[in-house]
Structures are given as structure tokens and as C-alpha cells.
Amino acid sequence: MKENSIITGFHAHVYYDSETRDIATRIREELGTKFEVRLGRWHDQPIGPHPKSMYQVAFAPNQFPQVVPWLMLNREELDILVHPETGDDVTDHTAHALWLGNKLDLNIDFLQQIKPKAS
């Protein structure tokens, strides 16, 4: 069994498209106002393993009980990936992932290519 202490933080990836960017903006502004989070850049094109436009919201483990339930109730039908940061990007984005809304097909090959090699 793994211990929760290996989780150094969480990321929420909020996905949007041109029709839902205003909703994503509203959610982003609320997250920045209500919680101690770090708001990442807007990516209006797919980037890395992410199949559509998104921005990332990073937050500490102690913020999970506040941020994630708020996202559950206020995502306005946007799809959101929430995952821990454990140092294993592939597993964090797959086996450890929590999806709000639809589960999107991530480009896991991208993550496997950048995965650090064991020494």
C-alpha cells in the first residue's frame, strides 16, 4: 500500500473549447478568488497529453477537501481531470486520476516518452 504522504500536490486540468471559454474564465476567476491555488497558463490548443484546450490549477494536498468539491458543484458541465503529483506522471494521469464530467482520451504516449529513466 502506498502512503498519502507521497502526494506533493494536486493538479486540476479544466478543459474547454471556443464555445465554453467564457465558462472556463468564470470558473478560473472564482478558483483564484476563493482558494489558495496557482493558476497555470491558458492553452488554447492541445498540449502534452491533453487532447483539447485547457488550463491547469495547482493546489496543495490540504486544499483538496475545499477545491475538489467546489469543482464538482461548479464545473458547469466542463470536463475536469484532477490528479495527484507523486513523481510518476503516467500513473498520476491514469490510475490515480479523478474525472469530473467525461473522461477524455489523454496522449499517454507523450507522458511515457518524458518519463524519467530509472538509474
Side-chain angles (χ1 to χ4, degrees):
M1 297 295 259
K2 294 183 179 180
E3 294 297 321
N4 289 353
S5 62
I6 67 169
I7 297 174
T8 59
F10 286 94
H11 289 169
H13 298 276
V14 179
Y15 297 97
Y16 62 90
D17 56 30
S18 57
E19 291 81 34
T20 59
R21 197 176 200 279
D22 288 347
I23 295 169
T25 299
R26 189 166 54 245
I27 291 169
R28 179 184 174 89
E29 289 171 355
E30 287 288 318
L31 283 166
T33 300
K34 292 182 177 298
F35 306 105
E36 294 178 34
V37 297
R38 288 184 321 278
L39 300 171
R41 294 188 314 260
W42 289 91
H43 296 283
D44 290 328
Q45 305 286 330
I47 185 169
H50 305 286
K52 62 187 285 191
S53 303
M54 66 94 198
Y55 59 82
Q56 173 182 288
V57 180
F59 52 98
N62 67 345
Q63 289 293 299
F64 186 96
Q66 290 79 38
V67 174
V68 174
W70 187 88
L71 285 170
M72 289 173 167
L73 298 178
N74 294 285
R75 65 182 184 84
E76 298 189 48
E77 299 190 23
L78 295 184
D79 300 318
I80 301 174
L81 164 63
V82 179
H83 69 80
E85 286 289 300
T86 67
D88 183 344
D89 284 341
V90 173
T91 304
D92 290 347
H93 284 77
T94 56
H96 298 159
L98 167 67
W99 285 93
L100 307 178
N102 297 308
K103 180 180 179 185
L104 305 181
D105 290 328
L106 300 178
N107 180 358
I108 300 306
D109 289 342
F110 174 86
L111 293 175
Q112 290 170 332
Q113 290 171 9
I114 62 168
K115 187 175 183 178
K117 304 287 187 239
S119 320

